[in-house]
Amino acid sequence: MEPVKIGLLGLGTVGGGSVTVLTRNADEIARRAGRAIQITHAAARQYDPERIEGLEQIGRISDDAFAVVDDLAVEIVIELIGGYSPARELVLKAIENGKHVVTANKALIAMHGNEIFAAAQAKGVMVGFEAAVAGGIPIIKAVREGLAANRIEWIAGIINGTGNFILTEMRDKGRDFADVLAEAQRLGYAEADPTFDVEGIDAAHKLTILASLAFGIPLQFDKTFTEGISKIEPQDVAFAAELGYRIKHLGITRRTAAGIEMRVHPTLIPHRRLIANVDGVMNAVLVKGDAVGPTLYYGAGAGALPTASAVVADVVDLVRALTTDPTNRVPHLAFQPGELADTPVLPIDAVETAYYLRITALDRPGVMASIAGILSEEGISIEAIKQKEPAEGETTVPLILLTHRIEEAAMNRAIARIEAFDGVSGKVVRIRMEGLEG
Ligand code: HSE
């Protein structure tokens, strides 16, 4: 049988990795797919031939991406150029031309996935996006297929390798934020715009996708609450550790009676949880299903070969599906397209979680009592308190409080009142806290 002809857009970190994996494992991949897979046409603006194994086997390489999606011989287009545009136009054009698509582009899927999947559905083609979430971990397959029997209750994941790498290096080696970020960029982990990593946008793209797969709702990136790691201070990492917690940057989505939570933010989690020990560029996703209970998926969340592993697995899936009935394929968002629900997404004010607060308190009688009074009036119950001795010559002390779960709106009111109180100096540091109990 003729090899399946692939058009490849992008020969950067993931594009180069995909060529390498398809070359190195060509025989095994063909045995799995049932046909050989050949990249016949690629487009890239620039690439490093030294880093790509098997580059010479690509039929034709130019810098014209639209020529690839218009190439009549190409059956599957792999989009690995990233970003919103021209990736969106290229993917839509490939679909219009009747080609299946594989992409690692989480920004594209989170923002334009509804449009792209509708176009693919109408045309009877598939769009694979396993590599868009958690790099090499087959989390989309797990949620969409492996857990299809379950009513999913919640998902919590470390889904940005760069952010986790930075937090880990800062905690373990006391390294400087900018220095670790530069290393992540050198290693090919970071996004083209690294603020996407450190401000949580990349994780929010991925969380948006996971929420849709878990709960059968349209992609709604604009409703995902997003807070990054750039304001995490070493003293909070240390205080959290003293209290038995680690700070991780988590994406959390949960089904509640009132609606669906979609949020990305630094989170204190008990250090004894397996996920609290996921370090460096590794990702991990905890999924709680009603039948299966908690399940945990772990692996490399970024990097050339791990991400290529997911890209090539999608290609194998598509090759197998080439001859199947288009109406009987695994739906893009796990639920049949006509069955997506309009369940509301909760604003962050309505989300209920526990909190770590660090308050800079004046060292004088009655301050602690007044703060406790404000919390009590807002219905907030304190779980633990820690107060440090003032440093030599200092008139303020850090006061650390852990609270029970409470609606964010009540916490916002309490924080505003505490900050207005003259026994307190500066802003209250607030980090959300989750037990992640099974
Ligand atoms: N910048 C991303 C990360 C790459 O660090 O996780 C993988 O999506």
Side-chain angles (χ1 to χ4, degrees), residues 297-345:
Y297 308 84
Y298 169 84
L305 298 187
T307 312
S309 163
V311 168
V312 174
D314 267 351
V315 173
V316 171
D317 260 2
L318 288 188
V319 172
R320 291 172 177 150
L322 285 176
T323 51
T324 59
D325 172 2
T327 58
N328 254 332
R329 294 179 179 146
V330 179
H332 290 108
L333 290 179
F335 292 72
Q336 295 299 332
E339 296 293 334
L340 294 186
D342 59 359
T343 318
V345 175

Side-chain angles (χ1 to χ4, degrees), residues 221-438:
F221 173 68
D222 56 332
K223 296 199 179 139
T224 299
F225 172 80
T226 307
E227 191 179 294
I229 57 169
S230 57
K231 296 194 183 72
I232 295 292
E233 291 185 34
Q235 58 175 319
D236 295 309
V237 175
F239 287 140
E242 285 177 33
L243 291 158
Y245 292 84
R246 287 205 169 160
I247 300 177
K248 289 290 181 189
H249 193 231
L250 288 192
I252 299 169
T253 183
R254 188 190 311 266
R255 191 200 312 252
T256 74
I260 289 167
E261 297 177 5
M262 287 165 54
R263 49 193 171 106
V264 165
H265 50 69
T267 314
L268 262 76
I269 50 179
H271 71 86
R272 61 184 179 281
R273 297 268 177 270
L274 276 177
I275 196 169
N277 296 285
V278 171
D279 287 334
V281 73
M282 303 309 272
N283 281 194
V285 185
L286 252 172
V287 184
K288 172 80 176 7
D290 67 338
V292 71
T295 56
L296 178 64
Y297 308 84
Y298 169 84
L305 298 187
T307 312
S309 163
V311 168
V312 174
D314 267 351
V315 173
V316 171
D317 260 2
L318 288 188
V319 172
R320 291 172 177 150
L322 285 176
T323 51
T324 59
D325 172 2
T327 58
N328 254 332
R329 294 179 179 146
V330 179
H332 290 108
L333 290 179
F335 292 72
Q336 295 299 332
E339 296 293 334
L340 294 186
D342 59 359
T343 318
V345 175
L346 293 178
I348 191 70
D349 271 7
V351 164
E352 221 180 71
T353 183
Y355 294 85
Y356 160 102
L357 302 178
R358 175 165 56 80
I359 300 167
T360 305
L362 266 57
D363 188 21
R364 67 170 202 224
V367 170
M368 171 89 89
S370 300
I371 293 170
I374 293 172
L375 291 171
S376 142
E377 282 159 23
E378 296 296 345
I380 300 168
S381 172
I382 298 170
E383 185 186 289
I385 296 187
K386 197 174 180 76
Q387 186 182 317
K388 293 280 178 181
E389 286 180 344
E392 189 75 23
E394 281 288 337
T395 53
T396 60
V397 285
L399 176 63
I400 314 300
L401 293 167
L402 303 185
T403 77
H404 287 283
R405 295 179 77 81
I406 183 77
E407 206 178 66
E408 177 117 347
M411 181 52 79
N412 288 342
R413 285 193 299 273
I415 288 176
R417 287 179 62 188
I418 292 169
E419 286 176 347
F421 168 45
D422 69 1
V424 159
S425 153
K427 292 275 181 203
V428 173
V429 172
R430 162 241 309 265
I431 307 177
R432 297 170 188 87
M433 194 165 93
E434 290 287 337
L436 303 181
E437 292 91 357

Side-chain angles (χ1 to χ4, degrees), residues 106 159-162 189-191 197 202 206 301-302:
K106 50 265 161 149
I159 46 179
N160 180 267
T162 301
Y189 301 153
E191 294 303 299
D197 295 300
D202 176 75
K206 296 167 179 168

